[in-house]
Every structure is written in C-alpha cells, then in structure tokens.
Amino acid sequence: MSEYFWYRLGRSFVLSFPVYISYALAKLLGRAQYLIAKNDRKSVVSNLQVIVKDKKNIHRYARRVFENFGMYLVDFLRFEKITKEYIDTCIDKEGFEYLDALVQKKTGAIL
C-alpha cells in the first residue's frame, strides 16, 4: 500500500478521536516500533550513547524516543485543527518578551 494511504488513515484516526486517545495509541505503536525495528532501535541507541551519560537507562531513553515520535506524528496530523482560538485557550504563552527584544535588535536569531 502506498504511504499516502497510511497518511490518510492515520489522519482520519487522530481527527476522529480525542487527543489523549490518539496519544495513547501513538505511544503504544511507538513501543511496538521500538521492539520490532531492530535497525532503527540500534541507530537511536547509538546516537543516544553520544549524549547520554546514564548508560544503564539508554534503552529506556531510546524507547521514549520512539514513543515521543509517535506523539509528534499525532500533533502533525492534527495540525489542521489548530486555530487562533485553540491557541488562545489551550496554549500557555510565556517568554515572548525575549522574542520581542530580539526583533527590536534587528540582528536575527535562531529559534
């Protein structure tokens, strides 16, 4: 089956259910991917070994990478539901004074 089919199926699913259900399924599928995809798991563990000092928990961190990626996909697929009203009511906005100060400097910034 084409990737587009899976994209449409996933999008339909996450738009049909409350976000907490989509997140729960995404975490479950992320864990399954962690267990099934040996090469992907090895790559993530290898990358984490460079930055993680706590080597005994590295596989737990790797599993969480897969879970978080699944939740990222939920956010991506739900993107069309995000409106200004949603942002105003559901998103905490803080620290914009720092961004405003950078804009005033006119020197640019990396976010």
Side-chain angles (χ1 to χ4, degrees), residues 21-36 63 66-68 70-71:
I21 292 175
S22 298
Y23 279 154
L25 181 62
K27 284 180 77 171
L28 183 66
L29 291 174
R31 283 184 182 194
Q33 181 70 8
Y34 170 80
L35 294 171
I36 294 167
R63 187 188 74 239
F66 282 84
E67 292 170 356
N68 287 337
M71 292 189 302

Side-chain angles (χ1 to χ4, degrees), residues 15-89:
L15 293 176
S16 300
F17 292 97
V19 72
Y20 71 92
I21 292 175
S22 298
Y23 279 154
L25 181 62
K27 284 180 77 171
L28 183 66
L29 291 174
R31 283 184 182 194
Q33 181 70 8
Y34 170 80
L35 294 171
I36 294 167
K38 183 179 180 181
N39 290 336
D40 293 342
R41 182 177 61 244
K42 281 181 167 182
S43 293
V44 170
V45 168
S46 176
N47 289 337
L48 287 174
Q49 286 177 339
V50 175
I51 60 171
V52 173
K53 292 181 180 174
D54 182 12
K55 303 293 188 220
K56 72 177 185 173
N57 288 314
I58 202 153
H59 287 280
R60 181 168 56 102
Y61 299 144
R63 187 188 74 239
R64 291 172 83 185
V65 167
F66 282 84
E67 292 170 356
N68 287 337
F69 184 73
M71 292 189 302
Y72 153 77
L73 289 176
V74 168
D75 291 339
F76 174 77
L77 294 170
R78 292 180 62 84
F79 193 72
E80 70 185 54
K81 281 194 161 188
I82 296 175
T83 62
K84 183 175 179 348
E85 294 78 25
Y86 174 83
I87 291 171
D88 289 341
T89 58

